Amino acid sequence: MSFESEIKRRRTFAIISHPDAGKTTLTEKLLLFGGAIHVAGAVKSNKIKKTATSDWMEIEKQRGISVATSVMGFEYRDYKINILDTPGHQDFAEDTYRTLTAVDSVIIVVDVAKGVEAQTRKLMNVCRMRNTPVIIFVNKLDREGRDSFDLLDELEAELGIQVCPLSWPISMGASFKGVYNIYEQNLHLYTPNKQAISEAISFSDINNPELENHIGEMNAIKLREDLEIVNGVYPEFDSEKYLAGELAPVFYGSALNNFGVKELLDCFVEVAPSPLPVQAIEREISPYEDAFTGFIFKIHANMDPNHRSCIAFVKICSGKFERNVNYKHVRHGKMMRFSSPTAFMAQKKETVDEAYAGDIVGLPDTGTFKIGDTLTSGEQLHFKGLPSFSPEMFKYIENADPMKTKQLEKGIAQLMDEGVAQLFINQYNNRKIIGTVGQLQFEVIQYRLLHEYGAQCRWESVSLFKACWIESDDEAELENFKKRKAQYMAIDKEGRDVFLADSSYVLQMAQNDFKNIRFHFTSEF
Ligand code: G4P
């Protein structure tokens, strides 16, 4: 196969959802179609969310298992599919945000009864920042849920994207009959089966009286009426709009019952983008360039004290990555060779000899890499930093063992490079503040500092609302602001100015009083 076709056939995406909407179940069914697994129930990584939040050691144990499921590659038809797994636990949301920078599209799973939930909304905001193409899968049609039109309204309003149903449910819950596939014009009757799939019946003319024989008179009438409204109200599927992140196709089904999943997958491989160009600071990189380039988007630490190495995950942005070839670690200005890079096929981690743009490769790491690092064939290139988002929880970190100051410093620096949390240094009192998206990360940091670096830390509470990266074209106003807010000014690990607002009121006042200053909730603007 030619180099170009290898890249063209790749589909690298993530499935995102609010916990419990069915992401793990859907992932598993997709793997089943790819022949990557043979029985349902094999994907367990996301079950970490089921454990009590305080029991994070248990969670970490399971996170260990999830290294293998961080990326799930498999072949389907002529396509090479890479699903990037995202942690099911909300406290690891930052990990999910970063994973979204390494995908070319996403599938959002929504529970038909619950509609759009908090986590879905947040993740969609991240997708919108990059205009990531989105397909929506409305799940659990085997249960009673929202009226389809109401749900579509909600999806549009809450997710801020135009929707375009490509399949349509025929009733739901106990009387669920199946879906009409608008995209392929066929009828798919519901037969609950967790392992196998039923064949679709071709049905290009919905007015064909045969329809009654399949789904009964009432359902047939309702389906015809519904589809008439769908035709009138919703736009036709427009591939360009979808690729621009402006239009989201919607599918219905029941992941648990393996229903509607094949339709989703078949449409997905056809419409979803192959690897897209990636913007570096210096220039835009096309995936089809010969020279290899890639960036680290995730570092997975091994919690086993006997095997302290990490795996750094590289997203290949262009060209072909080869084993035992020298590549440049741009930040260090050093050439490096990797003798045991791993690729992830299904749930197995295997050494690979080559991988192409769109693929993810795992590199064994002992502290050489930082999130956002660039690797190239030699070019001096920097991929735009992965965004940090304003944390939701803040604590002062204090040294609890003065004999181990150096170890603590080193530990904090490395854990921040790994992206475990964010560090802000208050410019007023020089104290270090750690920001996270969940309580669990404070426990993870404390444990890892002790067990990996022999350092002890103590947390002290600090009441903050948001961290805002600030910038202005008006130097004088910026200086004035920094002076006025000196107690609340900090720098992040890149040395950028960050305003730590202690309440939304204070932030609003600051925005009102300093009109020439821009306040950002992410580090990428
Ligand atoms: P998540 O990764 O998005 O958090 O969700 P997950 O797939 O773990 O699914 C959450 C729960 O919803 C699971 O039940 C799963 O079996 C159920 N589920 C997923 N898809 C469907 C569906 O189409 N219909 C119905 N009725 N249920 C569905 P659980 O009891 O929490 O876990 P388990 O004991 O079944 O593993």
Side-chain angles (χ1 to χ4, degrees):
M1 191 176 295
S2 75
F3 168 72
E4 206 177 299
S5 344
E6 271 296 355
I7 297 175
K8 266 216 171 86
R9 75 187 191 97
R10 277 163 164 73
R11 300 285 181 273
T12 302
F13 73 107
I15 304 178
I16 55 178
S17 73
H18 191 84
D20 268 353
K23 178 166 71 75
T24 312
T25 314
L26 179 65
T27 306
E28 183 175 279
K29 295 299 143 82
L30 294 176
L31 292 177
L32 214 51
F33 284 118
I37 55 169
H38 300 288
V39 282
V43 180
K44 284 288 175 222
S45 68
N46 276 295
K47 294 302 171 197
I48 57 173
K49 67 182 190 300
K50 303 271 155 74
T51 50
T53 40
S54 58
D55 189 6
W56 77 268
M57 262 316 284
E58 185 51 32
I59 289 175
E60 276 305 326
K61 243 195 270 160
Q62 299 189 27
R63 239 160 72 89
I65 302 167
S66 78
V67 175
T69 51
S70 285
V71 183
M72 287 162 278
F74 64 92
E75 303 272 338
Y76 179 71
R77 290 169 35 188
D78 293 331
Y79 299 92
K80 162 80 193 295
I81 296 180
N82 296 312
I83 305 181
L84 271 56
D85 193 23
T86 54
H89 201 293
Q90 292 193 39
D91 284 10
F92 293 102
E94 184 89 18
D95 230 30
T96 305
Y97 301 155
R98 277 192 296 261
T99 299
L100 291 179
T101 64
V103 300
D104 297 304
S105 68
V106 303
I107 293 179
I108 297 181
V109 184
V110 173
D111 182 326
V112 67
K114 296 192 176 143
V116 176
E117 295 172 88
Q119 190 71 358
T120 327
R121 217 172 286 125
K122 271 194 207 163
L123 294 171
M124 183 64 198
N125 284 338
V126 181
C127 294
R128 209 173 298 106
M129 283 173 63
R130 296 175 175 265
N131 302 322
T132 308
V134 164
I135 292 182
I136 299 170
F137 181 72
V138 179
N139 190 27
K140 307 196 185 181
L141 264 287
D142 57 315
R143 288 196 186 159
E144 296 299 333
R146 306 258 177 96
D147 169 78
S148 304
F149 288 108
D150 289 349
L151 189 61
L152 289 177
D153 283 350
E154 181 178 316
L155 289 170
E156 269 190 345
E158 296 269 341
L159 299 180
I161 193 164
Q162 206 175 17
V163 296
C164 157
L166 287 188
S167 80
W168 196 255
I170 303 162
S171 192
M172 65 177 73
S175 58
F176 182 48
K177 281 280 173 294
V179 293
Y180 180 72
N181 187 332
I182 302 173
Y183 186 65
E184 287 179 354
Q185 300 194 321
N186 57 33
L187 188 65
H188 198 177
L189 297 177
Y190 177 61
T191 43
N193 187 335
K194 295 187 174 60
Q195 301 283 350
I197 44 156
S198 56
E199 284 300 310
I201 306 162
S202 175
F203 227 97
S204 55
D205 180 8
I206 199 74
N207 291 315
N208 184 337
E210 269 290 296
L211 185 64
E212 271 78 350
N213 295 339
H214 291 295
I215 58 174
E217 198 181 334
M218 297 296 282
N219 283 322
I221 294 170
K222 174 91 168 54
L223 177 64
R224 289 185 188 114
E225 281 172 8
D226 282 356
L227 289 180
E228 213 175 297
I229 302 175
V230 167
N231 275 336
V233 173
Y234 296 100
E236 274 200 17
F237 176 66
D238 176 335
S239 169
E240 270 175 31
K241 278 191 164 175
Y242 157 69
L243 292 175
E246 293 166 10
L247 181 77
V250 181
F251 285 87
Y252 294 82
S254 165
L256 185 66
N257 293 294
N258 212 347
F259 187 79
V261 179
K262 187 169 183 297
E263 288 77 359
L264 172 74
L265 183 59
D266 281 331
C267 175
F268 170 80
V269 291
E270 276 165 32
V271 304
S274 51
L276 297 168
V278 184
Q279 189 64 46
I281 291 174
E282 292 79 0
R283 63 187 186 86
E284 190 178 83
I285 314 296
S286 156
Y288 300 99
E289 292 179 18
D290 285 334
F292 158 78
T293 62
F295 67 87
I296 311 284
F297 68 95
K298 175 180 176 128
I299 295 176
H300 201 302
N302 189 342
M303 297 301 289
D304 179 350
N306 298 321
H307 305 93
R308 190 98 18 96
S309 73
C310 301
I311 293 185
F313 290 82
V314 187
K315 162 79 188 277
I316 304 178
C317 299
S318 70
K320 184 161 96 169
F321 173 93
E322 288 174 281
R323 189 160 82 95
N324 279 328
V325 167
N326 273 307
Y327 293 118
K328 184 174 185 174
H329 184 310
V330 175
R331 184 170 54 88
H332 287 164
K334 252 187 5 204
M335 297 305 278
M336 294 178 82
R337 222 153 50 99
F338 304 97
S339 57
S340 49
T342 44
F344 305 85
M345 282 307 279
Q347 293 186 285
K348 287 197 295 288
K349 212 168 82 187
E350 292 166 354
T351 303
V352 275
D353 291 321
E354 53 180 48
Y356 292 85
D359 287 338
I360 312 296
V361 176
L363 304 175
D365 174 36
T366 45
T368 330
F369 291 114
K370 240 179 166 172
I371 296 275
D373 275 351
T374 304
L375 283 176
T376 69
S377 297
E379 190 176 347
Q380 191 65 13
L381 206 67
H382 301 82
F383 284 103
K384 284 195 166 171
L386 304 192
S388 302
F389 294 82
S390 174
E392 288 168 28
M393 294 180 157
F394 301 85
K395 282 183 185 178
Y396 280 123
I397 183 163
E398 295 296 338
N399 189 356
D401 179 357
M403 304 298 287
K404 298 283 168 64
T405 306
K406 263 199 188 139
Q407 286 86 334
L408 184 75
E409 296 290 320
K410 183 170 173 218
I412 294 178
Q414 287 195 350
L415 293 183
M416 297 308 125
D417 284 352
E418 236 181 69
V420 175
Q422 292 180 58
L423 172 69
F424 303 101
I425 299 177
N426 187 318
Q427 293 305 86
Y428 188 70
N429 55 19
N430 239 356
R431 290 177 80 180
K432 291 189 171 74
I433 296 174
I434 301 284
T436 70
V437 288
Q439 175 59 32
L440 212 57
Q441 277 146 308
F442 292 113
E443 292 169 37
V444 172
I445 292 168
Q446 193 159 25
Y447 180 92
R448 290 191 57 190
L449 284 173
L450 182 62
H451 289 85
E452 293 174 34
Y453 300 91
Q456 289 193 49
C457 76
R458 199 163 22 97
W459 300 110
E460 243 177 67
S461 56
V462 47
S463 165
L464 292 174
F465 166 65
K466 281 253 187 287
C468 309
W469 284 264
I470 57 167
E471 56 155 3
S472 176
D473 302 325
D474 184 340
E475 271 306 310
E477 183 159 327
L478 193 61
E479 280 316 306
N480 183 21
F481 178 81
K482 281 162 57 173
K483 221 185 266 162
R484 281 262 299 275
K485 299 284 179 190
Q487 272 174 293
Y488 296 96
M489 286 309 302
I491 51 169
D492 71 1
K493 66 177 194 300
E494 315 291 346
R496 288 173 295 207
D497 287 325
V498 176
F499 169 50
L500 303 169
D502 55 349
S503 71
S504 72
Y505 174 73
V506 165
L507 179 59
Q508 239 172 35
M509 290 296 286
Q511 285 167 323
N512 277 341
D513 294 348
F514 294 86
K515 294 262 186 281
N516 292 324
I517 294 181
R518 293 181 289 279
F519 297 80
H520 303 280
F521 297 112
T522 73
S523 66
E524 197 182 84
F525 35 82

